[in-house]
Amino acid sequence: MASSDRRNQRALRSNYEIGSSFWAVRRAQWRAMGLSDEDMEKPKIAVINTSSELAICFNHLDHVAAVVKQAIRDAGGLPFEVRTAAPSDFIHSAGNAGKYILPSRDLITNDIEVQVEGAQLDGMVCLASCDKTAPGQLMAAARLDIPTIFAICGYQGSGHIGEEHVDIEEVFLGAGHHAMGAITLERLKEMSEKAITSSGVCSGMGTANSMHTVCEALGMTLPGHAPVRASGGGMLDNAAEAGKRIVDMVWEDLRPRQILTEAAFENAVRSVFAVSGSINTIKHLQAVATEADTDIDVYGMYERLMDSSPVLVAVRPNGESSIEEFDDGGGARAVLKNLGALTRTEAMTVAGKTLGETLNGWEPPTDTVKTAEAPLSDKPAIVLVRGNLAPDTGIIKLGLRYDRKLKVTGPAVCFSNPIDAIEGLKAGKVKAGDVLVLRGLGVRGGPGMGMASRVVFAIEGAGLGEDVAVVTDGQLSGLVNKGLVVGEVTPEAHGGGPLGLVRDGDLITIDVLARRVDVDMDDAEMEARRAALPEVGHSGQRGWLSIYEGEVEPLSRGAVLIPPRD
């Protein structure tokens, strides 16, 4: 298509009327940067880069950005690299008890809005990497609704100690074991030195690789792009392809809200079940749906689809398959293909074709990903539960492990932060048969939703993994696949949620098959305890967490920072 024809097809929003004051000052700035008047008539594309030297998840992204920018130029576009916050759970959870982690997702979203919407750029290529960058970028794409494509920036290599495989999951689990004296510091140090062998996100099916799979299932990447090795040439080839495609997407005016339909979200939810993905995908997908200004209830979608969504692949920590085997077996594309009739093939994709059209005639190269007719399991990998302890929802990650206890009743042992819980374990305050209650970690109570994972791994390290259940309003790493844990309980304890009313010794029952979590307490007693609670005040946080605390919506809306529509 000729340049003039393209201009007639779509007017670029980044071009001001010639002679206007905005045109003049923009031209002055960009001419000083070496851009020509011809450049300024091209589609102006933001390359959203979360590069950072703080974490291995991001330290390779400048090279990826360079490839994307060159591909945009070659396709007739004008790239502008835009930097945002670059949060890594394993780095940024060191400060303020890990409270910065979830709020950083929304910081990314708002950062993108300021830089892209303020400059009225025409499209975006988002470099998706660690846990919070992909959802934050998806939320921005849904909010701004300008042509957007995702370039998946890859997973890290893992290592060995002798013949024994070791990756970041073992280090994370090992830290919990060391806290309980189950392994030595020397062993933990050796694991940490061998676990990571290249740049990229955690190598298991944690939140990052789950969200990369979600990006493709939503139709926001080109087919076959997730997952991908960060150390391989395939990632750069994919990035170049994405850079080339975004220019045509601008001319076609193919925007996220045309892609992020109910069918797309259903494909994303099915794919999470199929890979036994992270429970964090639920709140992230709900946040994307909310930012897209839809009425899609992602939590309800998970509940509706869970009993008809098979598990097709078991990547570590869910099973013995490696992320490399999943990648070589077709990755997300193979999942969508092998779900068969469960896939909503009418969903549109950034390729400018329906999902069905992109899958037509393609077959997975290996049998790593099983079919819906012969799955690894026909039981849901993730179960949403309700009850008087979780009137809205609680989430249990089961993976393939239905051999664990599926119904337990035990006395509550309550803690208000992970450190106290681990000290309580060390002191013998938690015994086999107890239900450990960890609360005050919700989006408002944190503020920012603290991480409960270290407590789960400490329980495992204490040898109580099969005998002590956990109920928490905190979030869990996507790498957590141990014990019977009800996570992200809502309403949260903060502000009078039922979890905040539980006292030591109250009997709690978790029944997976009945989809319930309850405390043995009648309504009258619950209301009496609620009435006796002290008035909730401000946490005393300053800066970004103070803003977050005052504005964050509940998990049912994805913990976004935008108020409900009238």
Side-chain angles (χ1 to χ4, degrees):
M1 184 183 294
S3 177
S4 60
D5 293 334
R6 283 176 163 177
R7 279 196 289 272
N8 289 333
Q9 185 175 356
R10 185 194 195 280
L12 299 181
R13 69 183 198 148
S14 56
N15 286 350
Y16 293 114
E17 181 181 350
I18 293 177
S20 71
S21 59
F22 283 116
W23 172 84
V25 294
R26 173 176 283 197
R27 182 175 185 271
Q29 292 233 355
W30 283 351
R31 289 284 291 181
M33 290 167 56
L35 302 181
S36 68
D37 285 341
E38 182 182 10
D39 286 333
M40 295 182 210
E41 293 183 0
K42 298 173 181 177
K44 298 164 187 66
I45 310 298
V47 179
I48 307 298
N49 184 4
T50 57
S51 175
S52 170
E53 293 183 348
L54 281 172
I56 199 75
C57 331
F58 308 115
N59 73 336
H60 63 306
L61 295 192
D62 286 346
H63 185 39
V64 182
V67 170
V68 172
K69 288 190 290 185
Q70 187 58 53
I72 291 170
R73 293 187 192 101
D74 292 344
L78 179 63
F80 291 96
E81 188 173 340
V82 171
R83 302 294 181 107
T84 74
S88 166
D89 286 22
F90 290 135
I91 300 297
H92 291 85
S93 59
N96 214 328
K99 294 174 183 176
Y100 287 114
I101 295 302
L102 182 60
S104 66
R105 180 198 71 177
D106 298 80
L107 188 60
I108 291 169
T109 304
N110 287 283
D111 199 353
I112 292 171
E113 179 192 341
V114 168
Q115 299 193 73
V116 175
E117 192 65 13
Q120 287 286 282
L121 302 182
D122 301 300
M124 299 192 294
V125 179
C126 293
L127 307 189
S129 192
C130 199
D131 294 26
K132 306 307 177 292
T133 60
Q137 292 162 350
L138 281 169
M139 290 161 64
R143 181 189 296 180
L144 302 186
D145 198 32
I146 64 172
T148 302
I149 193 169
F150 277 68
I152 304 302
C153 291
Y155 56 84
Q156 62 195 217
S158 53
H160 291 83
I161 299 176
E163 297 298 316
E164 180 184 353
H165 176 269
V166 59
D167 61 22
I168 193 65
E169 181 212 356
E170 272 93 8
V171 179
F172 197 11
L173 180 59
H177 285 196
H178 173 67
M180 302 308 299
I183 67 170
T184 65
L185 179 60
E186 288 70 24
R187 173 63 175 176
L188 183 59
K189 288 173 64 177
E190 184 180 23
M191 292 166 64
S192 69
E193 290 164 1
K194 303 291 186 180
I196 301 173
T197 60
S198 78
S199 297
V201 303
C202 298
S203 59
M205 190 52 73
T207 302
N209 278 314
S210 296
M211 285 305 303
H212 292 178
T213 298
V214 160
C215 286
E216 182 158 341
L218 284 172
M220 294 298 289
T221 75
L222 290 169
H225 281 206
V228 65
R229 293 166 173 83
S231 59
M235 178 189 64
L236 296 179
D237 291 342
N238 292 352
E241 194 176 358
K244 177 182 178 182
R245 174 61 188 150
I246 189 60
V247 178
D248 282 335
M249 287 178 65
V250 170
W251 295 122
E252 295 164 10
D253 199 21
L254 179 56
R255 291 172 283 108
R257 293 190 187 183
Q258 297 167 269
I259 295 169
L260 298 172
T261 61
E262 183 175 8
F265 279 94
E266 188 169 306
N267 288 334
V269 171
R270 293 278 195 196
S271 72
V272 172
F273 282 117
V275 301
S276 188
S278 167
I279 69 171
N280 292 308
T281 58
I282 306 178
K283 61 178 175 286
H284 295 326
L285 278 168
Q286 184 63 69
V288 176
T290 302
E291 292 282 5
D293 202 23
T294 74
D295 293 321
I296 294 172
D297 175 8
V298 172
Y299 283 82
M301 189 176 282
Y302 269 83
E303 285 186 291
R304 175 169 58 84
L305 299 179
M306 64 184 174
D307 287 313
S308 62
S309 294
V311 180
L312 306 187
V313 63
V315 175
R316 292 169 52 85
N318 304 304
E320 293 306 312
S321 292
S322 67
I323 193 69
E324 289 86 357
E325 289 170 325
F326 181 47
D327 181 0
D328 294 341
R333 196 179 190 188
V335 168
L336 295 164
K337 179 74 172 185
N338 287 358
L339 280 169
L342 297 175
T343 298
R344 297 284 296 274
T345 55
E346 75 274 23
M348 180 54 66
T349 73
V350 292
K353 302 175 182 178
T354 66
L355 181 57
E357 289 172 322
T358 69
L359 294 174
N360 186 36
W362 181 84
E363 296 295 333
T366 75
D367 65 352
T368 299
V369 179
K370 308 307 178 185
T371 65
E373 294 74 27
L376 293 178
S377 172
D378 60 1
K379 297 181 175 64
I382 298 170
V383 170
L384 272 67
V385 296
R386 297 178 188 264
N388 72 348
L389 201 50
D392 291 345
T393 51
I395 309 171
I396 300 175
K397 172 73 177 289
L398 292 164
L400 297 173
R401 286 221 42 221
Y402 273 77
D403 57 340
R404 70 184 87 191
K405 295 176 181 177
L406 299 179
K407 182 176 181 179
V408 299
T409 297
V413 184
C414 303
F415 299 96
S416 296
N417 62 72
I419 294 175
D420 286 349
I422 292 172
E423 290 303 314
L425 276 166
K426 290 179 178 179
K429 294 180 180 179
V430 182
K431 301 177 176 61
D434 289 343
V435 177
L436 190 151
V437 173
L438 180 59
R439 59 199 179 190
L441 305 184
V443 291
R444 282 282 174 91
M449 204 166 201
M451 191 72 76
S453 307
R454 69 186 76 175
V455 176
V456 176
F457 284 156
I459 291 170
E460 186 76 14
L464 296 171
E466 298 297 320
D467 301 306
V468 171
V470 176
V471 182
T472 180
D473 54 7
Q475 65 180 342
L476 300 164
S477 164
L479 295 174
V480 172
N481 195 29
K482 302 290 185 182
L484 184 59
V485 183
V486 184
E488 302 199 1
V489 166
T490 56
E492 61 179 289
H494 180 80
L499 197 64
L501 309 177
V502 176
R503 296 174 181 169
D504 287 349
D506 288 342
L507 287 179
I508 293 175
T509 297
I510 303 168
D511 190 334
V512 173
L513 299 182
R515 313 290 195 246
R516 294 199 58 89
V517 55
D518 294 285
V519 59
D520 187 12
M521 187 191 316
D522 61 32
D523 292 345
E525 175 64 17
M526 196 168 280
E527 287 306 315
R529 293 189 187 183
R530 184 175 287 114
L533 290 175
E535 184 177 348
V536 175
H538 191 274
S539 67
Q541 293 285 345
R542 301 183 66 189
W544 174 237
L545 288 180
S546 177
I547 296 170
Y548 186 88
E549 180 180 5
E551 299 298 329
V552 67
E553 292 289 313
L555 285 177
S556 60
R557 300 193 69 243
V560 296
L561 302 186
I562 53 176
R565 291 176 290 168
D566 292 334

PDB file of all heavy atoms in Angstrom, residues 282-310:
ATOM      1  N   ILE A 282      -5.400 -14.342  37.616  1.00  0.00           N
ATOM      2  CA  ILE A 282      -6.822 -14.021  37.773  1.00  0.00           C
ATOM      3  C   ILE A 282      -6.998 -12.533  38.018  1.00  0.00           C
ATOM      4  O   ILE A 282      -7.769 -11.856  37.322  1.00  0.00           O
ATOM      5  CB  ILE A 282      -7.454 -14.860  38.899  1.00  0.00           C
ATOM      6  CG1 ILE A 282      -7.205 -16.361  38.676  1.00  0.00           C
ATOM      7  CG2 ILE A 282      -8.946 -14.571  39.005  1.00  0.00           C
ATOM      8  CD1 ILE A 282      -7.749 -17.267  39.766  1.00  0.00           C
ATOM      9  N   LYS A 283      -6.293 -11.998  39.003  1.00  0.00           N
ATOM     10  CA  LYS A 283      -6.451 -10.566  39.283  1.00  0.00           C
ATOM     11  C   LYS A 283      -5.905  -9.713  38.147  1.00  0.00           C
ATOM     12  O   LYS A 283      -6.439  -8.643  37.856  1.00  0.00           O
ATOM     13  CB  LYS A 283      -5.805 -10.184  40.615  1.00  0.00           C
ATOM     14  CG  LYS A 283      -4.322 -10.409  40.752  1.00  0.00           C
ATOM     15  CD  LYS A 283      -3.858  -9.914  42.121  1.00  0.00           C
ATOM     16  CE  LYS A 283      -2.388 -10.229  42.371  1.00  0.00           C
ATOM     17  NZ  LYS A 283      -2.193 -11.668  42.664  1.00  0.00           N
ATOM     18  N   HIS A 284      -4.840 -10.184  37.484  1.00  0.00           N
ATOM     19  CA  HIS A 284      -4.290  -9.411  36.376  1.00  0.00           C
ATOM     20  C   HIS A 284      -5.267  -9.368  35.198  1.00  0.00           C
ATOM     21  O   HIS A 284      -5.470  -8.309  34.588  1.00  0.00           O
ATOM     22  CB  HIS A 284      -2.953  -9.989  35.932  1.00  0.00           C
ATOM     23  CG  HIS A 284      -1.869  -9.886  36.964  1.00  0.00           C
ATOM     24  ND1 HIS A 284      -1.772  -8.835  37.849  1.00  0.00           N
ATOM     25  CD2 HIS A 284      -0.813 -10.710  37.247  1.00  0.00           C
ATOM     26  CE1 HIS A 284      -0.712  -9.003  38.636  1.00  0.00           C
ATOM     27  NE2 HIS A 284      -0.125 -10.138  38.285  1.00  0.00           N
ATOM     28  N   LEU A 285      -5.858 -10.499  34.863  1.00  0.00           N
ATOM     29  CA  LEU A 285      -6.836 -10.514  33.773  1.00  0.00           C
ATOM     30  C   LEU A 285      -8.058  -9.670  34.123  1.00  0.00           C
ATOM     31  O   LEU A 285      -8.619  -8.978  33.264  1.00  0.00           O
ATOM     32  CB  LEU A 285      -7.251 -11.951  33.450  1.00  0.00           C
ATOM     33  CG  LEU A 285      -6.293 -12.721  32.548  1.00  0.00           C
ATOM     34  CD1 LEU A 285      -6.651 -14.203  32.528  1.00  0.00           C
ATOM     35  CD2 LEU A 285      -6.310 -12.160  31.127  1.00  0.00           C
ATOM     36  N   GLN A 286      -8.486  -9.713  35.393  1.00  0.00           N
ATOM     37  CA  GLN A 286      -9.621  -8.882  35.787  1.00  0.00           C
ATOM     38  C   GLN A 286      -9.255  -7.404  35.652  1.00  0.00           C
ATOM     39  O   GLN A 286     -10.090  -6.592  35.221  1.00  0.00           O
ATOM     40  CB  GLN A 286     -10.030  -9.184  37.223  1.00  0.00           C
ATOM     41  CG  GLN A 286     -11.280  -8.427  37.678  1.00  0.00           C
ATOM     42  CD  GLN A 286     -12.500  -8.808  36.873  1.00  0.00           C
ATOM     43  OE1 GLN A 286     -12.996  -9.922  36.971  1.00  0.00           O
ATOM     44  NE2 GLN A 286     -12.984  -7.882  36.051  1.00  0.00           N
ATOM     45  N   ALA A 287      -8.017  -7.058  35.993  1.00  0.00           N
ATOM     46  CA  ALA A 287      -7.584  -5.669  35.857  1.00  0.00           C
ATOM     47  C   ALA A 287      -7.594  -5.238  34.396  1.00  0.00           C
ATOM     48  O   ALA A 287      -8.001  -4.113  34.070  1.00  0.00           O
ATOM     49  CB  ALA A 287      -6.183  -5.504  36.452  1.00  0.00           C
ATOM     50  N   VAL A 288      -7.156  -6.112  33.494  1.00  0.00           N
ATOM     51  CA  VAL A 288      -7.170  -5.787  32.064  1.00  0.00           C
ATOM     52  C   VAL A 288      -8.603  -5.591  31.581  1.00  0.00           C
ATOM     53  O   VAL A 288      -8.910  -4.647  30.851  1.00  0.00           O
ATOM     54  CB  VAL A 288      -6.464  -6.883  31.244  1.00  0.00           C
ATOM     55  CG1 VAL A 288      -6.555  -6.592  29.753  1.00  0.00           C
ATOM     56  CG2 VAL A 288      -4.997  -7.017  31.662  1.00  0.00           C
ATOM     57  N   ALA A 289      -9.500  -6.481  32.003  1.00  0.00           N
ATOM     58  CA  ALA A 289     -10.908  -6.364  31.617  1.00  0.00           C
ATOM     59  C   ALA A 289     -11.512  -5.068  32.130  1.00  0.00           C
ATOM     60  O   ALA A 289     -12.290  -4.403  31.430  1.00  0.00           O
ATOM     61  CB  ALA A 289     -11.695  -7.564  32.140  1.00  0.00           C
ATOM     62  N   THR A 290     -11.158  -4.687  33.348  1.00  0.00           N
ATOM     63  CA  THR A 290     -11.668  -3.440  33.921  1.00  0.00           C
ATOM     64  C   THR A 290     -11.128  -2.233  33.164  1.00  0.00           C
ATOM     65  O   THR A 290     -11.873  -1.300  32.842  1.00  0.00           O
ATOM     66  CB  THR A 290     -11.295  -3.348  35.410  1.00  0.00           C
ATOM     67  OG1 THR A 290     -11.826  -4.492  36.106  1.00  0.00           O
ATOM     68  CG2 THR A 290     -11.864  -2.094  36.036  1.00  0.00           C
ATOM     69  N   GLU A 291      -9.819  -2.244  32.862  1.00  0.00           N
ATOM     70  CA  GLU A 291      -9.219  -1.134  32.130  1.00  0.00           C
ATOM     71  C   GLU A 291      -9.788  -1.023  30.710  1.00  0.00           C
ATOM     72  O   GLU A 291      -9.849   0.070  30.141  1.00  0.00           O
ATOM     73  CB  GLU A 291      -7.694  -1.297  32.059  1.00  0.00           C
ATOM     74  CG  GLU A 291      -6.981  -1.157  33.399  1.00  0.00           C
ATOM     75  CD  GLU A 291      -6.820   0.293  33.842  1.00  0.00           C
ATOM     76  OE1 GLU A 291      -7.341   1.200  33.155  1.00  0.00           O
ATOM     77  OE2 GLU A 291      -6.160   0.524  34.876  1.00  0.00           O
ATOM     78  N   ALA A 292     -10.224  -2.144  30.140  1.00  0.00           N
ATOM     79  CA  ALA A 292     -10.819  -2.129  28.800  1.00  0.00           C
ATOM     80  C   ALA A 292     -12.259  -1.634  28.814  1.00  0.00           C
ATOM     81  O   ALA A 292     -12.901  -1.574  27.768  1.00  0.00           O
ATOM     82  CB  ALA A 292     -10.750  -3.520  28.179  1.00  0.00           C
ATOM     83  N   ASP A 293     -12.755  -1.301  30.015  1.00  0.00           N
ATOM     84  CA  ASP A 293     -14.103  -0.763  30.183  1.00  0.00           C
ATOM     85  C   ASP A 293     -15.160  -1.779  29.762  1.00  0.00           C
ATOM     86  O   ASP A 293     -16.173  -1.437  29.147  1.00  0.00           O
ATOM     87  CB  ASP A 293     -14.265   0.541  29.399  1.00  0.00           C
ATOM     88  CG  ASP A 293     -15.400   1.411  29.932  1.00  0.00           C
ATOM     89  OD1 ASP A 293     -15.751   1.246  31.117  1.00  0.00           O
ATOM     90  OD2 ASP A 293     -15.934   2.231  29.174  1.00  0.00           O
ATOM     91  N   THR A 294     -14.901  -3.049  30.106  1.00  0.00           N
ATOM     92  CA  THR A 294     -15.869  -4.106  29.829  1.00  0.00           C
ATOM     93  C   THR A 294     -16.552  -4.516  31.132  1.00  0.00           C
ATOM     94  O   THR A 294     -16.125  -4.148  32.223  1.00  0.00           O
ATOM     95  CB  THR A 294     -15.193  -5.354  29.233  1.00  0.00           C
ATOM     96  OG1 THR A 294     -14.476  -6.052  30.283  1.00  0.00           O
ATOM     97  CG2 THR A 294     -14.223  -4.983  28.126  1.00  0.00           C
ATOM     98  N   ASP A 295     -17.603  -5.293  30.990  1.00  0.00           N
ATOM     99  CA  ASP A 295     -18.285  -5.860  32.157  1.00  0.00           C
ATOM    100  C   ASP A 295     -17.870  -7.312  32.404  1.00  0.00           C
ATOM    101  O   ASP A 295     -18.555  -8.037  33.135  1.00  0.00           O
ATOM    102  CB  ASP A 295     -19.806  -5.791  31.953  1.00  0.00           C
ATOM    103  CG  ASP A 295     -20.318  -4.357  31.949  1.00  0.00           C
ATOM    104  OD1 ASP A 295     -19.813  -3.549  32.743  1.00  0.00           O
ATOM    105  OD2 ASP A 295     -21.208  -4.043  31.125  1.00  0.00           O
ATOM    106  N   ILE A 296     -16.784  -7.735  31.799  1.00  0.00           N
ATOM    107  CA  ILE A 296     -16.353  -9.124  31.929  1.00  0.00           C
ATOM    108  C   ILE A 296     -15.936  -9.405  33.372  1.00  0.00           C
ATOM    109  O   ILE A 296     -15.102  -8.711  33.947  1.00  0.00           O
ATOM    110  CB  ILE A 296     -15.186  -9.427  30.969  1.00  0.00           C
ATOM    111  CG1 ILE A 296     -15.673  -9.333  29.517  1.00  0.00           C
ATOM    112  CG2 ILE A 296     -14.594 -10.816  31.249  1.00  0.00           C
ATOM    113  CD1 ILE A 296     -14.556  -9.421  28.496  1.00  0.00           C
ATOM    114  N   ASP A 297     -16.543 -10.442  33.960  1.00  0.00           N
ATOM    115  CA  ASP A 297     -16.234 -10.892  35.312  1.00  0.00           C
ATOM    116  C   ASP A 297     -15.265 -12.065  35.204  1.00  0.00           C
ATOM    117  O   ASP A 297     -15.672 -13.204  35.000  1.00  0.00           O
ATOM    118  CB  ASP A 297     -17.530 -11.296  36.033  1.00  0.00           C
ATOM    119  CG  ASP A 297     -17.288 -11.894  37.411  1.00  0.00           C
ATOM    120  OD1 ASP A 297     -16.136 -11.867  37.898  1.00  0.00           O
ATOM    121  OD2 ASP A 297     -18.257 -12.424  37.995  1.00  0.00           O
ATOM    122  N   VAL A 298     -13.975 -11.777  35.317  1.00  0.00           N
ATOM    123  CA  VAL A 298     -12.961 -12.817  35.136  1.00  0.00           C
ATOM    124  C   VAL A 298     -13.038 -13.851  36.249  1.00  0.00           C
ATOM    125  O   VAL A 298     -12.904 -15.064  35.999  1.00  0.00           O
ATOM    126  CB  VAL A 298     -11.551 -12.195  35.056  1.00  0.00           C
ATOM    127  CG1 VAL A 298     -10.476 -13.285  35.056  1.00  0.00           C
ATOM    128  CG2 VAL A 298     -11.439 -11.331  33.802  1.00  0.00           C
ATOM    129  N   TYR A 299     -13.294 -13.414  37.488  1.00  0.00           N
ATOM    130  CA  TYR A 299     -13.419 -14.369  38.589  1.00  0.00           C
ATOM    131  C   TYR A 299     -14.574 -15.321  38.310  1.00  0.00           C
ATOM    132  O   TYR A 299     -14.456 -16.542  38.497  1.00  0.00           O
ATOM    133  CB  TYR A 299     -13.622 -13.632  39.916  1.00  0.00           C
ATOM    134  CG  TYR A 299     -12.362 -13.040  40.482  1.00  0.00           C
ATOM    135  CD1 TYR A 299     -11.880 -11.807  40.045  1.00  0.00           C
ATOM    136  CD2 TYR A 299     -11.621 -13.704  41.444  1.00  0.00           C
ATOM    137  CE1 TYR A 299     -10.721 -11.258  40.552  1.00  0.00           C
ATOM    138  CE2 TYR A 299     -10.459 -13.171  41.970  1.00  0.00           C
ATOM    139  CZ  TYR A 299     -10.014 -11.947  41.511  1.00  0.00           C
ATOM    140  OH  TYR A 299      -8.844 -11.420  42.011  1.00  0.00           O
ATOM    141  N   GLY A 300     -15.688 -14.780  37.856  1.00  0.00           N
ATOM    142  CA  GLY A 300     -16.819 -15.633  37.505  1.00  0.00           C
ATOM    143  C   GLY A 300     -16.505 -16.555  36.346  1.00  0.00           C
ATOM    144  O   GLY A 300     -16.968 -17.701  36.295  1.00  0.00           O
ATOM    145  N   MET A 301     -15.681 -16.081  35.405  1.00  0.00           N
ATOM    146  CA  MET A 301     -15.290 -16.899  34.261  1.00  0.00           C
ATOM    147  C   MET A 301     -14.436 -18.080  34.717  1.00  0.00           C
ATOM    148  O   MET A 301     -14.608 -19.217  34.235  1.00  0.00           O
ATOM    149  CB  MET A 301     -14.547 -16.037  33.244  1.00  0.00           C
ATOM    150  CG  MET A 301     -14.281 -16.706  31.921  1.00  0.00           C
ATOM    151  SD  MET A 301     -13.485 -15.585  30.731  1.00  0.00           S
ATOM    152  CE  MET A 301     -14.900 -14.611  30.187  1.00  0.00           C
ATOM    153  N   TYR A 302     -13.509 -17.835  35.635  1.00  0.00           N
ATOM    154  CA  TYR A 302     -12.710 -18.937  36.175  1.00  0.00           C
ATOM    155  C   TYR A 302     -13.613 -19.972  36.859  1.00  0.00           C
ATOM    156  O   TYR A 302     -13.428 -21.182  36.682  1.00  0.00           O
ATOM    157  CB  TYR A 302     -11.668 -18.415  37.165  1.00  0.00           C
ATOM    158  CG  TYR A 302     -10.339 -18.070  36.544  1.00  0.00           C
ATOM    159  CD1 TYR A 302     -10.137 -16.837  35.926  1.00  0.00           C
ATOM    160  CD2 TYR A 302      -9.274 -18.956  36.572  1.00  0.00           C
ATOM    161  CE1 TYR A 302      -8.917 -16.497  35.364  1.00  0.00           C
ATOM    162  CE2 TYR A 302      -8.043 -18.638  36.014  1.00  0.00           C
ATOM    163  CZ  TYR A 302      -7.877 -17.405  35.405  1.00  0.00           C
ATOM    164  OH  TYR A 302      -6.667 -17.088  34.844  1.00  0.00           O
ATOM    165  N   GLU A 303     -14.566 -19.493  37.638  1.00  0.00           N
ATOM    166  CA  GLU A 303     -15.481 -20.421  38.310  1.00  0.00           C
ATOM    167  C   GLU A 303     -16.310 -21.206  37.308  1.00  0.00           C
ATOM    168  O   GLU A 303     -16.521 -22.411  37.458  1.00  0.00           O
ATOM    169  CB  GLU A 303     -16.400 -19.652  39.257  1.00  0.00           C
ATOM    170  CG  GLU A 303     -15.724 -19.189  40.540  1.00  0.00           C
ATOM    171  CD  GLU A 303     -16.707 -18.571  41.503  1.00  0.00           C
ATOM    172  OE1 GLU A 303     -17.216 -17.464  41.208  1.00  0.00           O
ATOM    173  OE2 GLU A 303     -16.974 -19.185  42.554  1.00  0.00           O
ATOM    174  N   ARG A 304     -16.777 -20.533  36.275  1.00  0.00           N
ATOM    175  CA  ARG A 304     -17.650 -21.175  35.287  1.00  0.00           C
ATOM    176  C   ARG A 304     -16.900 -22.201  34.449  1.00  0.00           C
ATOM    177  O   ARG A 304     -17.463 -23.242  34.077  1.00  0.00           O
ATOM    178  CB  ARG A 304     -18.262 -20.100  34.385  1.00  0.00           C
ATOM    179  CG  ARG A 304     -19.099 -20.635  33.241  1.00  0.00           C
ATOM    180  CD  ARG A 304     -19.876 -19.525  32.562  1.00  0.00           C
ATOM    181  NE  ARG A 304     -19.048 -18.465  32.037  1.00  0.00           N
ATOM    182  CZ  ARG A 304     -18.439 -18.484  30.829  1.00  0.00           C
ATOM    183  NH1 ARG A 304     -18.566 -19.554  30.050  1.00  0.00           N
ATOM    184  NH2 ARG A 304     -17.726 -17.453  30.424  1.00  0.00           N
ATOM    185  N   LEU A 305     -15.624 -21.935  34.154  1.00  0.00           N
ATOM    186  CA  LEU A 305     -14.878 -22.790  33.234  1.00  0.00           C
ATOM    187  C   LEU A 305     -14.017 -23.839  33.921  1.00  0.00           C
ATOM    188  O   LEU A 305     -13.518 -24.756  33.260  1.00  0.00           O
ATOM    189  CB  LEU A 305     -13.984 -21.929  32.338  1.00  0.00           C
ATOM    190  CG  LEU A 305     -14.682 -20.904  31.434  1.00  0.00           C
ATOM    191  CD1 LEU A 305     -13.651 -20.134  30.628  1.00  0.00           C
ATOM    192  CD2 LEU A 305     -15.688 -21.574  30.512  1.00  0.00           C
ATOM    193  N   MET A 306     -13.829 -23.735  35.250  1.00  0.00           N
ATOM    194  CA  MET A 306     -12.803 -24.573  35.885  1.00  0.00           C
ATOM    195  C   MET A 306     -13.089 -26.068  35.764  1.00  0.00           C
ATOM    196  O   MET A 306     -12.161 -26.869  35.569  1.00  0.00           O
ATOM    197  CB  MET A 306     -12.578 -24.169  37.343  1.00  0.00           C
ATOM    198  CG  MET A 306     -13.725 -24.339  38.278  1.00  0.00           C
ATOM    199  SD  MET A 306     -13.271 -23.696  39.942  1.00  0.00           S
ATOM    200  CE  MET A 306     -14.823 -23.841  40.793  1.00  0.00           C
ATOM    201  N   ASP A 307     -14.333 -26.477  35.862  1.00  0.00           N
ATOM    202  CA  ASP A 307     -14.618 -27.913  35.842  1.00  0.00           C
ATOM    203  C   ASP A 307     -14.641 -28.501  34.446  1.00  0.00           C
ATOM    204  O   ASP A 307     -14.778 -29.723  34.288  1.00  0.00           O
ATOM    205  CB  ASP A 307     -15.946 -28.182  36.554  1.00  0.00           C
ATOM    206  CG  ASP A 307     -15.828 -28.025  38.062  1.00  0.00           C
ATOM    207  OD1 ASP A 307     -14.858 -28.561  38.634  1.00  0.00           O
ATOM    208  OD2 ASP A 307     -16.677 -27.345  38.660  1.00  0.00           O
ATOM    209  N   SER A 308     -14.500 -27.671  33.423  1.00  0.00           N
ATOM    210  CA  SER A 308     -14.453 -28.183  32.050  1.00  0.00           C
ATOM    211  C   SER A 308     -13.142 -27.819  31.364  1.00  0.00           C
ATOM    212  O   SER A 308     -13.057 -27.851  30.136  1.00  0.00           O
ATOM    213  CB  SER A 308     -15.628 -27.624  31.232  1.00  0.00           C
ATOM    214  OG  SER A 308     -15.564 -26.209  31.145  1.00  0.00           O
ATOM    215  N   SER A 309     -12.115 -27.490  32.166  1.00  0.00           N
ATOM    216  CA  SER A 309     -10.821 -27.066  31.606  1.00  0.00           C
ATOM    217  C   SER A 309      -9.730 -28.041  32.012  1.00  0.00           C
ATOM    218  O   SER A 309      -9.265 -28.038  33.157  1.00  0.00           O
ATOM    219  CB  SER A 309     -10.476 -25.645  32.090  1.00  0.00           C
ATOM    220  OG  SER A 309     -11.395 -24.706  31.577  1.00  0.00           O
ATOM    221  N   PRO A 310      -9.288 -28.886  31.093  1.00  0.00           N
ATOM    222  CA  PRO A 310      -8.276 -29.895  31.419  1.00  0.00           C
ATOM    223  C   PRO A 310      -6.871 -29.312  31.499  1.00  0.00           C
ATOM    224  O   PRO A 310      -6.594 -28.222  30.989  1.00  0.00           O
ATOM    225  CB  PRO A 310      -8.381 -30.867  30.235  1.00  0.00           C
ATOM    226  CG  PRO A 310      -8.813 -29.991  29.088  1.00  0.00           C
ATOM    227  CD  PRO A 310      -9.744 -28.977  29.691  1.00  0.00           C
TER     228      PRO A 310
END
